[in-house]
């Protein structure tokens, strides 16, 4: 690695990324590039998915973790490595360590999804659950490193990690040489920095667009201030990019080479995840779907051909169920209504008959009969319906009111 005399921070070069690519041969998959006809029609130019959700361990994180651990000195390897993560980095470190014969300890939050905990253990790491949030977990991992001599493997703020992630950029140029725009999710910044370094060095004409969740967007204020700043209490379902402060090393690269950093809402993330599942038949976690969310929110802003990096697919099934329902609601395909009806035998069957006529699929029904707001012979019913879109939602509401039901907003 080379070092800047201006600020003593290590930098990453194209040679570093090419060296990482050689190191990862036979370790990381060259993941597929899949076209998206739906997004291509919206954007008005070809759109392709770089499917890092199909990478070993389910995300790009294996690339950087392997390069970082492979570069350790023999005495450092002997001391073992330690990491802190809620999921993707944990699995990347665990598998990389196992492949290199290095002992690994991974600290994870107590509330981490069970499938991610199980996968990390299966890849060979010792898992220790500590803290309720990642910041507490990170502190515990760093304390462990200080006490034991284990090498702390940072998820994004190290040049070896960035070089490893940059191999995604080299693959994009090989698989889609005509690319004009690359869209990539940004958390701490390791992936975006690596891709930008590799791509901009070879193809400075390619536009690099980073995407952050609006509730955890540390880069826009940091870039405006010219230094990394902290976003207090970042909040988003996209835990893969839920980072409160940019890394020092990736921040400088992103500031120099990334053309724009956009933000997307939770509704846009949910809609993007739903599109990936329905249209592309790809399971993608919310962070991995963030580039798709950006394309959906402003399709005319991207010059094609466009490559959207689907950075990971490790989504907890419980979260996936909630996100899909949220995404359907955002698209007007899921409707919750409350209404009052006479509490008598057959009243519910009559109501369901009205919904059947307008072809609304009932997912769930709940009753309330004891409430001071209700009359003696009244019941309140809440229905969760699957609909065909906003126009169908309006049609359902009109049919219920026409049938004499009081719909409660």
């Amino acid at each position: 690695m080379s070092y800047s005399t201006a600020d003593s921070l290590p930098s990453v070069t194209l040679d570093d990324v090419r060296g990482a690519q050689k190191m990862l041969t036979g370790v990381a998959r060259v993941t597929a590039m899949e076209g998206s006809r739906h997004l291509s029609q919206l954007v008005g130019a070809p759109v392709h998915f770089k499917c890092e959700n199909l990478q070993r361990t389910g995300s790009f994180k294996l690339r950087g973790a392997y390069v970082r651990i492979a570069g350790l000195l023999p005495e450092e390897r002997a001391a073992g490595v330690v990491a802190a993560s809620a999921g993707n980095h944990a699995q990347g470190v665990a598998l990389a360590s196992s492949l290199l014969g290095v002992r690994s300890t991974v600290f994870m939050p107590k509330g981490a999804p069970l499938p991610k905990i199980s996968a990390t253990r299966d890849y060979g790491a010792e898992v220790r659950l500590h803290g309720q949030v990642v910041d507490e977990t990170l502190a515990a991992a760093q304390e462990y490193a200080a006490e034991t001599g284990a090498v702390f493997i940072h998820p994004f703020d190290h040049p070896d990690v960035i070089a490893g992630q940059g191999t995604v950029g080299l693959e994009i140029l090989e698989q889609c040489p005509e690319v004009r725009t690359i869209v990539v999710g940004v958390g701490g910044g390791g992936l975006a920095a690596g891709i930008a370094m590799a791509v901009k060095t070879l193809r400075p004409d390619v536009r690099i667009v980073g995407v952050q969740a609006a509730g955890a967007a540390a880069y826009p204020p940091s870039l405006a201030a010219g230094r990394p700043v902290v976003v207090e209490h970042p909040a988003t379902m996209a835990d893969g990019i839920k980072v409160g402060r940019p890394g020092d090393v990736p921040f400088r690269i992103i500031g120099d080479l990334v053309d724009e950093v956009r933000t997307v809402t939770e509704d846009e993330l949910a809609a993007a995840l739903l599109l990936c599942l329905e249209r592309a038949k790809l399971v993608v976690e919310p962070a991995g779907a963030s580039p798709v969310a950006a394309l959906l929110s402003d399709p005319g802003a991207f010059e094609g051909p466009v490559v959207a990096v689907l950075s990971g697919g490790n989504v907890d099934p419980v979260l996936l169920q909630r996100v899909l329902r949220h995404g359907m609601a955002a698209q007007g395909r899921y409707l919750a209504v409350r209404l009052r009806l006479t509490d008598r035998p057959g009243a519910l069957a009559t109501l369901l008959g009205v919904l059947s006529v307008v072809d609304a699929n009932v997912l769930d029904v709940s009753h309330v009969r004891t409430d001071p707001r209700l009359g003696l012979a009244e019941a309140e019913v809440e229905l969760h319906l699957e609909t065909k879109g906003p126009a169908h939602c309006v049609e359902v509401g009109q049919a219920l009111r026409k049938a004499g039901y009081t719909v409660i907003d």
Side-chain angles (χ1 to χ4, degrees), residues 26-28 56 62 66 77 92-102 123:
V27 175
R56 296 178 70 179
L62 171 66
Y66 187 91
R77 291 196 188 193
V93 168
L95 178 57
S97 299
S98 293
L99 293 173
L100 291 164
V102 177
Y123 287 128

Side-chain angles (χ1 to χ4, degrees), residues 55-70:
Q55 183 58 261
R56 296 178 70 179
T57 74
S59 87
F60 70 95
K61 289 288 190 177
L62 171 66
R63 297 174 184 262
Y66 187 91
V67 173
R68 173 74 174 103
I69 297 170

Side-chain angles (χ1 to χ4, degrees), residues 274 278 325 327-335 363 385-390 393:
L274 184 60
E278 283 193 322
R325 182 167 289 188
M328 290 177 68
Q331 291 187 353
R333 294 168 52 194
Y334 178 82
L335 178 64
L363 301 176
L385 310 173
E386 183 181 1
T387 58
K388 301 173 183 178
C393 290

Side-chain angles (χ1 to χ4, degrees), residues 282-302:
L282 292 169
V283 176
V284 182
E285 62 190 88
S290 59
V292 179
L295 291 171
L296 287 173
S297 66
D298 192 7
F302 301 89

Side-chain angles (χ1 to χ4, degrees), residues 14-317:
L14 178 61
D15 286 341
D16 296 327
V17 181
R18 284 176 166 159
Q21 188 176 45
K22 292 180 181 178
M23 190 181 296
L24 289 168
T25 301
V27 175
R29 297 184 181 124
V30 177
T31 51
M33 184 83 75
E34 298 287 345
S36 171
R37 185 171 62 180
H38 179 72
L39 283 176
S40 297
Q41 290 173 341
L42 287 177
V43 172
V47 175
H48 306 280
F49 293 149
K50 176 60 173 169
C51 300
E52 282 296 290
N53 59 311
L54 302 180
Q55 183 58 261
R56 296 178 70 179
T57 74
S59 87
F60 70 95
K61 289 288 190 177
L62 171 66
R63 297 174 184 262
Y66 187 91
V67 173
R68 173 74 174 103
I69 297 170
L72 296 178
L73 297 173
E75 56 269 28
E76 291 175 318
R77 291 196 188 193
V81 300
V82 61
S85 168
N88 288 347
H89 181 57
Q91 294 172 68
V93 168
L95 178 57
S97 299
S98 293
L99 293 173
L100 291 164
V102 177
R103 184 178 71 258
S104 64
T105 303
V106 176
F107 285 77
M108 303 181 75
K110 292 180 180 179
L114 291 178
K116 294 185 178 182
I117 295 172
S118 177
T120 302
R121 285 182 173 139
D122 288 345
Y123 287 128
E126 177 189 348
V127 174
R128 299 192 180 191
L129 302 179
H130 184 93
Q132 300 298 327
V133 296
V134 175
D135 286 344
E136 296 173 353
T137 308
L138 179 64
Q142 291 173 325
E143 182 180 346
Y144 177 89
E147 291 174 352
T148 65
V151 178
F152 179 69
I153 306 300
H154 200 284
F156 51 81
D157 203 11
H158 192 280
D160 288 347
V161 172
I162 294 170
Q165 320 307 26
T167 60
V168 175
L170 294 182
E171 290 179 15
I172 289 173
L173 293 183
E174 293 165 1
Q175 294 170 307
C176 185
E178 68 278 12
V179 63
R180 296 293 300 167
T181 306
I182 297 173
V183 191
V184 56
V186 180
L191 178 61
I195 289 175
M197 174 57 66
V199 172
K200 286 288 193 177
T201 305
L202 294 168
R203 288 276 308 280
D205 59 302
V206 175
R207 184 172 178 81
I208 309 292
V209 179
V211 183
Q212 292 207 288
Y219 266 90
S222 296
L223 292 170
R227 59 179 175 78
V229 298
V230 176
V231 171
E232 299 290 346
H233 310 299
T236 175
M237 63 180 164
D239 58 353
I241 53 175
K242 186 180 177 181
V243 178
R245 182 189 185 278
D248 292 323
V249 181
F251 174 76
R252 186 177 61 183
I253 297 172
I254 287 174
D256 290 342
L257 299 179
V258 171
D259 296 281
E260 179 186 6
V261 177
R262 290 174 165 248
T263 62
V264 293
T265 67
E266 299 298 284
D267 283 350
E268 289 165 344
L269 286 169
L273 190 150
L274 184 60
L275 182 141
C276 289
L277 188 62
E278 283 193 322
R279 297 298 184 98
K281 315 307 177 191
L282 292 169
V283 176
V284 182
E285 62 190 88
S290 59
V292 179
L295 291 171
L296 287 173
S297 66
D298 192 7
F302 301 89
E303 180 185 0
V306 178
V307 173
V309 181
L310 307 184
S311 58
N314 292 319
V315 57
D316 178 32

